[in-house]
Amino acid sequence: MSENQQSRRGAALRLTGVGRDFGANTVLRGVDLQVAAGEFVAIIGRSGCGKSTLLRLLAGLDRPTRGRIALGTGEASGSARIMFQEPRLLPWARVVENVEVGVSEAEAPAARRARALALLGEVGLADRAEEWPGVLSGGQRQRVALARALASRPELLLLDEPLGALDALTRIEMQRLLERIWQHQGFTAVLVTHDVSEALALADRVVLIDRGTIALDLRVDVPRPRRRDRPELGAMEEQILDRLFDGATTSPATAAA
Amino acid sequence: MTTTTTSVLPVEARRDEAAPRREVPAWLKGSRRWLADAGAGWLLPFGLLAVWEAAARLDLLTETILPAPSAVLLAAWTLLLKGELLTHIGVSGARALAGFAVGGLIGFGLGLANGLSAASRTLTDTTLQMIRNVPHLALVPLVIIWFGIDEGAKLFLVALGVFFPIYVNTLLGILTVDPQLIEMGRAYGMSNTALFRRVLLPGALPSIFVGVRYGLGIMWLTLIVAETIAASSGLGYMAMQAREFLLVDIVVLAIIIYALLGKLADSVARALERRCLQWHPSFRNS
Ligand SMILES: Nc1ncnc2c1ncn2[C@@H]1O[C@H](COP(=O)(O)OP(=O)(O)O)[C@@H](O)[C@H]1O
Ligand SMILES: [Mg+2]
């Protein structure tokens, strides 16, 4: 990883006893988690277990009921960007203008445009800059959203099942793109996913949330690029699925990979 | 209301981003373009006009009931030469525009305020909805008492009529902007001004245009009534004067000019809409 730019490094993240209640409903009850700078962490868990809630807390879109969230390593404050499950592009703005949304408004218009175009190039959509988002495919829209999220050179990128709605082939393509950009830019990444094999393909660590706390924290020491048929990955997938359905009373349909 | 009954943009349709476009078979494309070029929409009115003229020539219509189109045209030419016609059109047009501007701006402003601020909404919306239930033309006698047959009367009535559709649709437009986009804007650090300029206003625009086109229809309707009842100039006055002297051709002329002006206003609004909503699937040309 080269470090010729100030924001090449990611921000570290530390959660201590983080909890979130919605009325009487305790969704998160004491999450302790440390993420090193530049690390790629995947968060998995059943639907409704509080993954999005946790990510919104990290993004600052919501405040924890209990506990502390510290971002950055003292000297750097750490800038975070969130990428949603839906692309959430402005339909009335051209593709390049949508990416400009991610660039600080303090910058000069020409600089913003140049930055947006450069990022569109990185996600392979330079030639679609002047189109309306409405004419793009689902995968292309999500790539524009990724370019927008990266446009401010964030130190922490939060991804809330951004590939969940894509077809299998497009999803694999996007996973590779994401991995390449992450390796290149060195930001810290937290990816929420319900797809165990996706988590194992991308993450340095897989964190499983169950009943409001971290039930499993698994390091994935497999060199990249990872082939999906690596036997270690298969073993880990078994382990995660076992833990997911351990003591579960509901049907095991949620996380079938 | 001739101008407002055409299909308007359904508000719900704004969210679907890439509605599938209907395939037109290649052999149809050519003929479609030809029809559009020739202004197929005008075939029927001109056909009716021809039938009407024929009926008048064959004495199926009495001149005092409905004069022939050619007679109306002749009346138009005569009035044009006397300079009266353009004066009346100018007076009516100025009234329409002034009333539309006043009512439209107030409606737009209040719609924005109530869409953006819950406090403002609680304070004024109930009152406005109550007033909305009074048909504004029911106020004509009261307005005549207040303003006589002054310009104030026409301005007041037109502005009041235009106000509500623009107010309601601006408010609705702001309130129905996709909350996910608003959240995105906030998460990406947009200031309130940027959020308004880049998310709220463009998101509300399709609905605002619905209000504008509806308001244009109400504008003409109100003006016709107001000028017919209380005016000393303008197209409605011209028609009422002509009625007293049984000049049916001029009465019909006034009606036709109203219709043409209504059509013109609607066309301008549509062109503006097409320009501003290029991104929208319903207006995307290529
Ligand atoms: N704003 C909210 N108000 C009330 N309940 C909420 C809110 N957001 C999330 N919840 C509840 O928190 C739980 C976890 O939701 P979420 O974090 O979206 O789950 P997921 O893991 O599927 O992303 C759900 O039971 C949901 O109903
Ligand atoms: Mg979720």
Side-chain angles (χ1 to χ4, degrees), chain B residues 2 9-10 14 17 42 55 133 180 193 218 222 251 253 255 261:
Chain B
T2 51
L9 190 62
R14 292 186 292 137
E17 289 167 57
W42 291 99
N133 287 318
Q180 290 193 331
T193 335
I218 301 232
T222 312
V251 174
L253 177 67
I255 295 170
L261 286 178

Side-chain angles (χ1 to χ4, degrees), chain B residues 221-245:
Chain B
L221 182 77
T222 312
L223 194 67
I224 293 168
V225 173
E227 285 189 340
T228 308
I229 295 171
S232 52
S233 61
L235 286 169
Y237 170 77
M238 182 181 91
M240 286 318 279
Q241 287 290 100
R243 181 195 58 100
E244 284 195 27
F245 300 105

Side-chain angles (χ1 to χ4, degrees), chain A residues 34-239:
Chain A
Q34 280 199 48
V35 179
E39 202 172 15
F40 199 132
V41 174
I43 295 179
I44 60 175
R46 272 195 216 96
S47 176
C49 73
K51 304 183 294 291
S52 296
T53 304
L54 181 61
L55 215 63
R56 293 171 55 83
L57 291 174
L58 296 181
L61 292 173
D62 188 16
R63 302 201 160 279
T65 317
R66 293 172 295 282
R68 281 195 59 235
I69 298 173
L71 181 61
T73 46
E75 75 276 9
S77 65
S79 61
R81 276 289 188 247
I82 189 164
M83 195 178 153
F84 303 95
Q85 177 158 6
E86 320 78 24
R88 302 203 188 180
L89 302 178
L90 303 173
W92 42 82
R94 308 266 176 188
V95 164
V96 63
E97 293 165 345
N98 265 289
V99 179
E100 279 175 38
V101 167
V103 191
S104 162
E105 291 186 51
E107 282 187 45
R112 298 181 66 183
R113 179 58 55 108
R115 175 104 192 109
L117 286 173
L119 274 150
L120 276 176
E122 269 200 66
V123 299
L125 288 174
D127 53 333
R128 312 302 294 270
E130 290 303 320
E131 306 226 32
W132 301 115
V135 303
L136 301 182
S137 72
Q140 290 170 329
R141 286 181 209 172
Q142 216 39 306
R143 278 194 274 162
V144 176
L146 178 62
R148 178 180 64 189
L150 296 171
S152 64
R153 301 186 180 93
E155 293 166 338
L156 172 64
L157 183 64
L158 305 161
L159 305 123
D160 191 357
E161 306 194 36
L163 315 183
L166 303 180
D167 65 87
L169 286 179
T170 314
R171 191 180 319 166
I172 293 174
E173 200 187 330
M174 279 290 286
Q175 286 168 4
R176 293 200 174 138
L177 175 70
L178 194 59
E179 183 176 46
R180 204 181 66 230
I181 291 181
W182 167 73
Q183 284 177 323
H184 180 225
Q185 303 209 348
F187 49 80
T188 308
V190 178
L191 167 74
V192 163
T193 175
H194 56 255
D195 181 344
V196 180
S197 66
E198 177 171 288
L200 289 168
L202 288 173
D204 298 322
R205 259 165 81 196
V206 176
V207 170
L208 190 141
I209 295 193
D210 191 25
R211 295 188 195 95
T213 57
I214 291 177
L216 184 70
D217 188 340
L218 198 66
R219 186 156 289 284
V220 188
D221 276 323
V222 179
R224 298 165 193 272
R226 292 174 182 160
R227 286 184 51 104
R228 279 161 190 266
D229 52 8
R230 299 273 303 220
E232 309 95 295
L233 292 182
M236 278 187 244
E237 185 163 339
E238 284 301 309
Q239 191 186 347

